[in-house]
């Protein structure tokens, strides 16, 4: 890889910026893998909403299956795939809730329909049929007048994945791909290892 940044967060931001300039759908989509206390693995796609030196942030329902998995085991993995660029980024680390202030700020920035949906949908819960969900949405819309502020429910907020390993994979001809892994050495220091493809 050319011009590799010694800071993996800066390297990630550079690759993400390039992905955002393409026409690929949802370049901020990332696979989140969690596991339960009995070792069963579960994965799903979530959207990256913020990144800084502390880690990678997404928002969800704190009563969802993923949240129950996280409560049982705080070790998680993320994976980004940008096919048209032949790039993958794998991230491993521990996950923590973001501050109430961060969750409130992001919730208030969401479109009103998304705010209503976050309240109406008890994510991962079994419902009788789709109409049940539509009825719940209608009920929430009636609860809040059109111009009133919708408060963030306590069961909805953000998580931050604090990385201890970040691997960058760049596709190359003849399957001689570039693989570089950053490993956290201390709070602010990272080591870089080249891996065989």
């Amino acid at each position: 890889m050319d011009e590799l940044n010694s800071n993996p967060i800066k390297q990630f931001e550079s690759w993400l910026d390039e992905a955002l300039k393409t026409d690929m759908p949802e370049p901020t989509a990332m696979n989140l893998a969690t596991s339960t206390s009995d070792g069963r693995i579960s994965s799903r796609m979530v959207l990256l909403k913020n990144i800084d030196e502390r880690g990678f942030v997404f928002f969800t329902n704190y009563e969802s299956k993923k949240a129950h998995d996280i409560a049982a085991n705080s070790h998680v993995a993320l994976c980004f795939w940008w096919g048209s660029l032949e790039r993958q980024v794998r991230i491993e680390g521990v996950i923590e809730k973001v501050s109430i202030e961060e969750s409130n700020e992001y919730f208030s920035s969401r479109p009103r329909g998304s705010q209503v949906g976050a309240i109406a949908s008890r994510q991962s819960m079994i419902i009788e049929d789709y109409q049940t969900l539509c009825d719940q949405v209608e009920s929430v819309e009636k609860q809040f007048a059109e111009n009133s502020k919708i408060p963030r429910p306590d069961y909805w907020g953000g998580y931050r994945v604090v990385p201890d390993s970040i691997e960058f994979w760049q596709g190359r001809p003849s399957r001689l791909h570039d693989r570089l892994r950053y490993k956290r050495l201390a709070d602010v220091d990272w080591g870089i290892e080249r891996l065989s493809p």
Side-chain angles (χ1 to χ4, degrees), residues 54-95:
R54 297 171 293 170
F56 301 77
V57 175
F58 67 94
F59 293 85
T60 191
N61 187 308
Y62 287 149
E63 296 175 353
S64 64
K65 182 183 184 315
K66 72 178 81 64
H68 288 285
D69 289 355
I70 288 165
N73 184 348
S74 64
H75 292 271
V76 301
L78 300 172
C79 185
F80 290 84
W81 170 245
W82 299 309
S84 63
L85 297 174
E86 292 188 86
R87 288 178 174 172
Q88 172 182 267
V89 181
R90 295 177 57 236
I91 299 153
E92 297 176 4
V94 295
I95 194 167

Side-chain angles (χ1 to χ4, degrees), residues 30-193:
M30 56 188 183
N31 182 275
L32 167 68
T34 57
S35 68
T36 60
S37 56
D38 63 359
R40 291 182 62 88
I41 306 299
S42 183
S43 69
R44 78 288 290 154
M45 302 304 290
V46 296
L47 296 179
L48 176 69
K49 292 300 180 181
N50 189 28
I51 179 174
D52 59 26
E53 291 297 327
R54 297 171 293 170
F56 301 77
V57 175
F58 67 94
F59 293 85
T60 191
N61 187 308
Y62 287 149
E63 296 175 353
S64 64
K65 182 183 184 315
K66 72 178 81 64
H68 288 285
D69 289 355
I70 288 165
N73 184 348
S74 64
H75 292 271
V76 301
L78 300 172
C79 185
F80 290 84
W81 170 245
W82 299 309
S84 63
L85 297 174
E86 292 188 86
R87 288 178 174 172
Q88 172 182 267
V89 181
R90 295 177 57 236
I91 299 153
E92 297 176 4
V94 295
I95 194 167
E96 60 189 25
K97 286 184 178 179
V98 303
S99 69
I100 290 172
E101 292 76 21
E102 286 177 87
S103 290
N104 286 341
E105 181 179 352
Y106 178 70
F107 187 81
S108 67
S109 75
R110 302 183 87 205
R112 188 174 183 84
S114 297
Q115 293 175 339
V116 168
I119 295 171
S121 173
R122 303 309 287 240
Q123 195 174 68
S124 302
M125 301 294 179
I126 296 171
I127 57 175
E128 186 175 338
D129 53 32
Y130 191 75
Q131 186 58 48
T132 301
L133 179 60
C134 294
D135 292 344
Q136 290 169 332
V137 167
E138 186 177 338
S139 174
V140 173
E141 286 175 337
K142 286 179 180 176
Q143 181 182 350
F144 297 99
E146 188 172 323
N147 294 321
S148 68
K149 181 179 178 185
I150 300 178
R152 178 186 64 85
D154 291 339
Y155 54 82
W156 191 95
Y159 284 105
R160 175 176 288 105
V161 177
V162 180
D164 53 42
S165 174
I166 304 178
E167 180 188 321
F168 294 84
W169 179 96
Q170 174 67 67
R172 297 285 188 211
S174 304
R175 301 194 61 77
L176 294 177
H177 312 305
D178 254 347
R179 287 180 68 192
L180 291 166
R181 179 174 59 198
Y182 293 74
K183 296 285 283 185
R184 190 180 291 279
L185 303 176
D187 285 346
V188 294
D189 293 327
W190 294 86
I192 304 175
E193 304 165 321

